[in-house]
Amino acid sequence: MRRSTQIKVASLVGVLVLGVAGCGYAASTKQVNYSQDTYGNEARITEHQQALLDTTQPAPKLSYSLQRANLIRRLDWMNNPNRVSYIYLFSQMGTLVSFYVVKGAISSLNEHLTTQTQLVEGIGQSQYGPYSHVVNSPSLTGTYGNEGTGIFFYTENGQLIQWSGQYLWSSQPLTLHTQPLVTQAIGGKP
């Protein structure tokens, strides 16, 4: 190959590399094969735009996450069996129904100690192996079903309370000056 041709090829390769790098693509990035329909065209535009923004406005590399710190702090706070907190239970219309001092944490009725479903091999065979299907597991009491939605907690004196309505849970007692009003649209209209 002649020297001038080599320089032209090298220059062309350099321009292509810079062009691709300028769009946020590294040389090692896999090529995505988009279809030629409108969906594929829009996907290409979106990918190009995102690659450009990733280059010009890269996401910061955090060495500390306040969100993670908050979640860890909340988990540590909630996981203390001797922790005292306060819960206010409200009707659907926002009227205060009851107030309790809670010892420990509040828990969801939808939390379980074991899996709620299990994979069972069924009758029959496919080219990939035996058919399997998911069935409901019995609870630890040996019965089926769910307990509905809601929460439960224990009071300072060990009383179990279960609730399926609105509530406010706090780490300190609150003074409610006005009754909260919770409204819900009927028939889909505000």
Side-chain angles (χ1 to χ4, degrees):
M1 195 184 298
R2 293 178 38 199
R3 175 95 175 128
S4 63
T5 305
Q6 288 175 337
I7 292 173
K8 288 179 185 175
V9 169
S11 298
L12 181 58
V13 168
V15 168
L16 288 174
V17 168
L18 288 175
V20 169
C23 293
Y25 292 105
S28 63
T29 301
K30 294 180 183 176
Q31 283 296 101
V32 178
N33 186 10
Y34 294 110
S35 60
Q36 294 301 315
D37 58 12
T38 55
Y39 175 80
N41 290 335
E42 290 172 2
R44 276 190 295 283
I45 292 168
T46 302
E47 179 62 27
H48 175 75
Q49 182 63 28
Q50 189 62 30
L52 179 62
L53 291 174
D54 283 347
T55 300
T56 60
Q57 294 176 307
K61 291 181 174 78
L62 301 176
S63 60
Y64 182 82
S65 169
L66 187 53
Q67 294 298 327
R68 291 178 63 88
N70 281 346
L71 291 171
I72 291 166
R73 183 177 176 189
R74 180 176 179 266
L75 182 60
D76 286 342
W77 187 89
M78 289 178 57
N79 204 39
N80 181 344
N82 296 312
R83 172 82 59 206
V84 173
S85 59
Y86 307 88
I87 192 165
Y88 301 81
L89 308 178
F90 298 97
S91 72
Q92 285 296 97
M93 292 303 294
T95 305
L96 182 61
V97 174
S98 192
F99 161 80
Y100 294 97
V101 178
V102 177
K103 186 169 183 185
I106 61 171
S107 298
S108 169
L109 290 173
N110 290 317
E111 293 178 5
H112 303 278
L113 293 174
T114 58
T115 182
Q116 297 302 291
T117 59
Q118 46 191 302
L119 190 61
V120 176
E121 286 189 14
I123 301 172
Q125 183 88 7
S126 74
Q127 65 184 19
Y128 305 107
Y131 289 117
S132 298
H133 57 280
V134 176
V135 297
N136 291 328
S137 297
S139 70
L140 292 177
T141 63
T143 60
Y144 293 87
N146 64 40
E147 296 191 46
T149 59
I151 59 167
F152 69 94
F153 56 89
Y154 293 92
T155 64
E156 280 184 303
N157 62 3
Q159 180 184 8
L160 171 65
I161 305 292
Q162 191 169 304
W163 181 253
S164 63
Q166 304 289 330
Y167 66 92
L168 174 63
W169 187 35
S170 175
S171 63
Q172 65 182 20
L174 303 174
T175 302
L176 302 178
H177 297 288
T178 58
Q179 290 289 332
L181 181 60
V182 179
T183 60
Q184 183 174 358
I186 298 175
K189 296 181 181 178

